[in-house]
Structures are given as C-alpha cells and as structure tokens.
Amino acid sequence: MTTTSESTATPLTTYLPSAEFVKNAAIPSMAAYDALCKEAETDYEGYWGRLANELLSWKQPFTQVLDESNTPFFKWFADGKLNASYNCLDRNVEKGLGNKTAIIFEADGGEVTKITYKELLDKVSQIANGLRGMGVKKGDRVVIYISMSIDGVAAMQACARIGATHSVVFGGFSAQSLRDRVEDTGAVAVITADHQVRGGKLLPLKSIVDEALALGGCDSVKNVLVVKRSGSEIAMTAGRDTWMDDVVAGQSLLCEPEWVEAEHPLFLLYTSGSTGKPKGVQHSTGGYLLHAALTTKWTFDLKADDVFWCTADIGWVTGHTYITYGPLALGGTEIVFEGVPTYPDAGRFWKMIQDHKCTVFYTAPTAIRSLIKAAEAKDSVHPKSYDLSSLRLLGSVGEPINPAAWEWYYKHVGGSRCPIVDTFWQTETGGHMITPHARCHAHDSRFLHFALPWNPGSHRGRNWQGCAKRTRRHSGCQTPMAFHDPQYLGRP
C-alpha cells in the first residue's frame, strides 16, 4: 500500500504485519490500545497501581500510588518497599525459572557463556555479600567501569540488592571523565576489570581507574574491585584493590535483599557532557523498574520463549533498561555482546542472530547504516548470507532512522515480515515515551498501531499508555504529541 504525504508529496509505503503477529501481540489492536488509554484517563492512579502490582513484587505494599503534594517533586508508590534484584532474579527462580537461561554472553573472540537465573542469582548474591563485607551499605554509591559482560550486569544487580546506588561509566570514557563522575557521586567503591576486549584489541580499564583516582578529589573511594578479564599482570594498590575472585571466595550464595522504599535511588547515570558539564540523572527503584518492565513487555511484545538482544552498552541508559533490568524483570532470555559489529567482519551481528536464534533485535540506526555500506560492498557479510528466520521483531534506538535505512532493515534483516519499533526516549525518562506499537509519518497525523500498518522512517508514535504527553505550540494551545514541536508531560 502506498500513501502520499500532503506536505512533502513524497510517496510512502505502508507495511502490514502478518495476521499471526497481530493475533499474538501483547496489544493486538487499536481498540486494545484505546482501552488502556481510557483506563488511564478515567483512573490514572488506579491504572498505574494495577500495573505496579501485576508486574512487580512488593515486600511492603504501597497504599498511595502518586503523591503530588510537593510538585514538581512527585513521588510514586512512596510507602511501598521492594528490591530490584529480587524482582529480576529471586522471583523468577521462585516461579520455577531457575534453570532457564538468563544471559547468553558472547565474548569478542566468539566464546559463548550461558548463565541461568539460579546461577546469576548466586553470582549476584556473592558479590553483594562481598560488598557488604567491605562496609558498602544502603545509600552508598558505587561506580562501575567495566565492559559488556555478565560481570557488569551482575555488579549492577549486586548494588541494587544491597540498596547501594550504582553509577555505570561507559568503558570508553577517559580517566578525567571517570574521575569527575567518581567525585560527583562520592562513590565509596569502584568495580572494574583488568582489561576489556573490543575488535580483537586488549584495552585497559584498571590502569585508567588508577589514573582517575590519582587526579584527586576521589578520597571517598575505599575499595576497588577488579574482575579478571585478560588475566594480564596489572598494578594493584595494597589496602584498596582486590580481585573480584577473592572478594566472592567463600561468600554465601544467600543474600537477603535490602528492602528499599520505592523512591530509593536505584542508579545515577551521567549525560555525555557534550554541551557542558555532565549532569547526573537519578532514577528511583519502584517507578523506574515498573517502566522498564512494562515497556519491555509492550514495546517488544516479549514472550517467554523469546531470545532478546539489545546491542547497547550498559554504560548508557538503553543498556540499563533493556539489558540489566527490563528483560530480567520479565524472566526473559537475552544476549549480551562484548565486541563490536564489524569484528572479525561486518557480518558479526547476523552470525550471532543466526547462532543464538535471536527473535527480537534492538540496535541503533548508526550501526544499521554502517552495516548497509559493508553489506553492499561484500556479499559474505550481507544479511542474505545468514539464516535470520528466527527474528520476529526489530527495534531501533538512538536517533530517527531514515526511510532508506528502515527499508533495508525491514527487507534484508527482517525478511519483509518483522515489525520495526522505532523508539523515542532519553536518559531522563528511563524508558520509551513514544513507540510504534504506534507509528505515524512525520507529516501524517494518522497514528498507525504496532499491530496495524506502519511507515518507514517514522520516529514517533502514539502517547505511551498512561503518559499524558502534549505539545505546546507557539499559540499556546495543546495538541497531541508531534515530534517536531516542543514536548512536555501533562501528568507526572
């Protein structure tokens, strides 16, 4: 089906999902979407309260959903208590998913490690007990400077387990950037690795931590925990640095979670600082975890047998929400990848999808565009050279995806059968705000549902159910969200 945008006179192709996909979608129709919106509009607090109880487990149930008494400092589920690590790990083990694979980790060199929910819980508990033994407690801050790995995810979960607020710093940042974040958080500990491996190269991590701490202003750091990635000899400062293997040695596999208030800070994550001093964004436990789980469930239509792959780094918010928390909170199986998409060649992503039978793939337009160029230059790294039949849903994140890249992604990666969810959000929101389980073209006011037709390159969609988003035009009137206009939320 082809439509034409009135403002640009550009022909647009509209794609239809399969009847089978529509039938099994979490939100299968516009009527289902509208029903959720009506519920939210009719009983806003009841809507979010229902979802919070359905998707999360609470040690102490909340009695108030939203506290608006001190605007703009809104509080969600303030008198409830929970633990993010318990919700991601223990709960799934208790449901009988202990032997289900939680993470499929592929190292830069191609080595594959799988870890089940029970094994991940044990690992997290031992790290958490080790941190507690060092005196790290609820409310302390821990900086994590590590590569993509099971250890990185486990470190984040361990901090959450004891109520310590983690702040992950992207492994490619400099010593100065790391130092600034350590100082600003007042971190009592740093978790890192001896090295990271990317594109066949051994890159330093621990030495950069040493350099950062030597720059001054980091006196709050009492302990540095070092994961052995390369096993190469590195400098260790006596009384401060400890190998992670030694930290967890002999630690119990049982670690009682620290039950925290829903508003307790789960993590701090800093913006890149490209327009000034990096700003720390803080996300609380209850509201954030609900949003992470709900957007993973609805946007990605996550099923029990899916193999989900978000290619982002845990140093960014995408990796927090759609690697460390969202998929695990739903008991999903996910892929974690240490390397880069072009090593040993530009077919790496496609080979991994083929090898691990990935069903839901979420990556950035920048990666897609670079892989298009490589595929057009060399057939052996073209998606057509791999079996990608396991895929059923594709996602895009990071910036708007241009129509040409969308079409290529849809045709060559998705086999002209996989819906594409192009997601709009940012560090400050913690999760999706506009997503094509609704889609519309930039110059077309019609919204197209995830289980209905969609258009290439349309980086927008309907309001997220329960998010009363509006656009303030220059006239001051309010209209439904439009991507090219200033945006704000009508409700917290």
Side-chain angles (χ1 to χ4, degrees):
M1 180 188 301
T2 301
T3 60
T4 301
S5 165
E6 294 180 1
S7 59
T8 63
T10 301
L12 300 173
T13 301
T14 299
Y15 293 91
L16 300 172
S18 69
E20 185 69 15
F21 192 97
V22 173
K23 177 184 176 182
N24 295 312
I27 304 175
S29 65
M30 188 59 76
Y33 170 85
D34 287 341
L36 288 168
C37 291
K38 184 177 180 180
E39 180 188 355
E41 292 166 3
T42 303
D43 183 5
Y44 192 68
E45 293 189 25
Y47 171 83
W48 285 112
R50 173 180 68 80
L51 292 170
N53 281 315
E54 287 180 3
L55 272 75
L56 304 180
S57 293
W58 299 82
K59 181 68 171 180
Q60 177 177 302
F62 54 86
T63 61
Q64 182 181 22
V65 173
L66 176 61
D67 181 355
E68 300 181 86
S69 63
N70 187 29
T71 58
F73 302 103
F74 304 100
K75 294 181 179 180
W76 287 94
F77 321 114
D79 62 345
K81 288 188 176 182
L82 75 167
N83 182 276
S85 175
Y86 175 87
N87 272 274
C88 292
L89 303 176
D90 308 60
R91 186 175 61 160
N92 287 312
V93 172
E94 292 166 6
K95 288 179 179 178
L97 301 178
N99 292 325
K100 180 178 180 178
T101 299
I103 295 173
I104 301 168
F105 172 67
E106 181 161 318
D108 184 75
E111 303 85 359
V112 175
T113 303
K114 296 182 180 182
I115 188 167
T116 66
Y117 272 93
K118 180 59 169 64
E119 291 168 339
L120 184 56
L121 173 58
D122 291 347
K123 184 180 183 72
V124 167
S125 294
Q126 288 189 305
I127 297 172
N129 283 330
L131 288 170
R132 274 182 173 160
M134 291 177 164
V136 181
K137 61 187 183 303
K138 176 185 176 183
D140 285 342
R141 277 82 180 273
V142 176
V143 163
I144 300 172
Y145 184 66
I146 201 167
S147 63
M148 287 294 292
S149 59
I150 293 174
D151 293 294
V153 173
M156 296 167 75
Q157 288 280 345
C159 289
R161 193 165 193 83
I162 63 174
T165 301
H166 62 71
S167 183
V168 183
V169 180
F170 174 57
F173 279 176
S174 68
Q176 183 65 55
S177 296
L178 176 60
R179 176 257 173 215
D180 291 345
R181 287 157 174 78
V182 169
E183 180 188 40
D184 197 62
T185 61
V188 301
V190 175
I191 299 175
T192 189
D194 48 8
H195 294 88
Q196 60 178 325
V197 185
R198 290 175 66 84
K201 299 178 181 178
L202 199 63
L203 304 173
L205 285 175
K206 173 58 166 57
S207 63
I208 295 175
V209 171
D210 292 340
E211 182 183 348
L213 299 184
L215 291 172
C218 302
D219 293 340
S220 60
V221 175
K222 305 304 179 186
N223 291 282
V224 176
L225 290 70
V226 186
V227 173
K228 283 186 180 179
R229 171 59 182 93
S230 67
S232 301
E233 185 174 343
I234 59 170
M236 297 287 281
T237 300
R240 186 197 71 182
D241 302 348
T242 311
W243 290 106
M244 182 66 82
D245 287 346
D246 295 331
V247 172
V248 302
Q251 294 291 348
S252 171
L253 300 181
L254 301 177
C255 178
E256 177 66 16
E258 182 73 34
W259 303 104
V260 301
E261 301 79 9
E263 284 290 323
H264 180 75
L266 178 61
F267 66 85
L268 282 166
L269 189 60
Y270 287 77
T271 57
S272 61
S274 58
T275 57
K277 182 181 178 180
K279 302 170 183 64
V281 176
Q282 177 177 291
H283 281 288
S284 61
T285 303
Y288 167 81
L289 191 60
L290 172 59
H291 196 48
L294 190 60
T295 50
T296 302
K297 177 181 179 179
W298 281 350
T299 303
F300 298 117
D301 192 44
L302 197 70
K303 309 296 186 187
D305 58 349
D306 273 326
V307 176
F308 177 80
W309 185 13
C310 168
T311 67
D313 193 282
I314 55 172
W316 309 118
V317 71
T318 306
H320 281 55
T321 306
Y322 302 112
I323 295 177
T324 301
Y325 291 110
L328 296 180
L330 296 178
T333 296
E334 61 177 334
I335 297 169
V336 172
F337 177 44
E338 180 183 39
V340 296
T342 53
Y343 179 82
D345 58 43
R348 185 65 178 271
F349 274 4
W350 320 136
K351 185 178 186 302
M352 287 182 62
I353 291 171
Q354 172 184 272
D355 291 351
H356 303 304
K357 307 301 180 187
C358 175
T359 59
V360 181
F361 181 63
Y362 189 39
T363 195
T366 302
I368 296 168
R369 286 191 288 268
S370 68
L371 296 177
I372 290 174
K373 292 180 180 179
E376 290 177 345
K378 190 176 182 182
D379 264 3
S380 63
V381 297
H382 194 286
K384 68 184 179 182
S385 299
Y386 300 84
D387 179 5
L388 307 184
S389 60
S390 61
L391 287 170
R392 68 177 193 85
L393 180 66
L394 304 175
S396 173
V397 61
E399 74 252 23
I401 182 170
N402 58 297
W406 193 104
E407 294 268 10
W408 188 90
Y409 193 30
Y410 176 73
K411 179 180 178 181
H412 296 291
V413 180
S416 299
R417 69 181 184 281
C418 299
I420 298 177
V421 289
D422 184 13
T423 57
F424 169 77
W425 57 300
Q426 58 198 98
T427 303
E428 289 80 357
T429 69
H432 305 151
M433 297 301 286
I434 311 175
T435 66
H437 55 227
R439 305 191 66 82
C440 71
H441 184 259
H443 305 289
D444 188 341
S445 62
R446 296 170 302 155
F447 290 100
L448 302 176
H449 193 275
F450 173 52
L452 293 175
W454 62 92
N455 299 127
S458 53
H459 183 89
R460 69 219 68 216
R462 275 227 186 233
N463 298 348
W464 184 260
Q465 301 89 299
C467 291
K469 295 189 287 292
R470 296 290 183 270
T471 295
R472 179 79 66 181
R473 295 189 186 276
H474 296 297
S475 63
C477 66
Q478 295 182 359
T479 65
M481 175 65 75
F483 181 77
H484 55 279
D485 289 314
Q487 303 160 24
Y488 68 96
L489 292 174
R491 290 295 304 272

